[in-house]
Amino acid sequence: MRMKRDEYYLSVLEAVRGRSTCNRGESGAIIVKEGRIIATGYVGAPTGMPHCDEIGHLFKTSTMVGEDITTHCVRTVHAELNAILQAARFGINILGGIMYCTMTPCYECAKAIVNVGIVKVIAVYPYQEQERTISLFRARKIPFNIIYPEKRLYQ
């Protein structure tokens, strides 16, 4: 039996996620337009730079709104931004595209998604800090769906 489109995109997303080079993120993103996958991205260091898998993490501790203290690896580029950058690098028009991603995009990636004209976002899992992202998508009337609403802990 033939896979439905969403099942196909999600299986490709899982394969893309498997290329991640930071075991804290392990996220993937794909951009689909007119029924075709036109760009992919995964969590990884900038091109030509060493990966977390090779030399370890580069941590940054931040205080979030409400005084929550978080620690993130900042060596890597997020999957969503990497998919957008891949399209830009190869001159691919993503205006009007749909983004599939492993988790709700962070707020920084969400701003980039809005600015490049992605019209819908589908995440497999929610992200623990997703409130600003969801508010931004609502304000810009970008449909946003989460397939599995139970939170998956980000390592």
Side-chain angles (χ1 to χ4, degrees):
M1 184 165 93
R2 187 174 186 192
M3 279 183 173
K4 294 180 181 176
R5 281 187 195 251
D6 278 345
E7 293 170 335
Y8 168 65
Y9 298 143
L10 293 172
S11 69
V12 172
L13 177 64
E14 185 63 17
V16 171
R17 183 191 73 79
R19 293 281 300 150
S20 296
T21 61
C22 178
N23 66 356
R24 293 193 82 233
E26 293 186 341
S27 291
I30 63 172
I31 301 173
V32 175
K33 186 172 178 181
E34 298 175 3
R36 305 264 185 236
I37 297 170
I38 58 172
T40 64
Y42 54 85
V43 174
T47 302
M49 298 301 295
H51 298 289
C52 296
D53 293 352
E54 299 166 346
I55 62 170
H57 299 289
L58 178 60
F59 289 118
K60 177 184 176 189
T61 301
S62 302
T63 303
M64 302 301 287
V65 176
E67 302 303 317
D68 290 338
I69 297 174
T70 61
T71 302
H72 292 281
C73 180
V74 294
R75 182 178 309 288
T76 61
V77 179
H78 290 184
E80 299 85 356
L81 187 55
N82 260 334
I84 291 167
L85 293 171
Q86 181 189 72
R89 183 175 186 161
F90 294 105
I92 300 168
N93 180 358
I94 59 176
L95 182 65
I98 298 170
M99 181 175 281
Y100 290 77
C101 44
T102 304
M103 289 185 279
T104 303
C106 74
Y107 188 59
E108 294 302 314
C109 287
K111 291 186 288 184
I113 288 166
V114 167
N115 279 359
V116 299
I118 296 292
V119 297
K120 183 176 183 179
V121 178
I122 300 167
V124 179
Y125 299 103
Y127 178 57
Q128 58 204 16
E129 296 172 17
Q130 65 181 11
E131 292 74 23
R132 286 186 294 168
T133 293
I134 291 172
S135 293
L136 177 61
F137 288 161
R138 280 188 187 137
R140 296 298 305 143
K141 296 182 176 38
I142 296 173
F144 173 66
N145 301 338
I146 298 174
I147 297 171
Y148 300 113
E150 62 277 356
K151 285 191 179 179
R152 178 177 154 185
L153 290 179
Y154 185 73
Q155 299 177 340

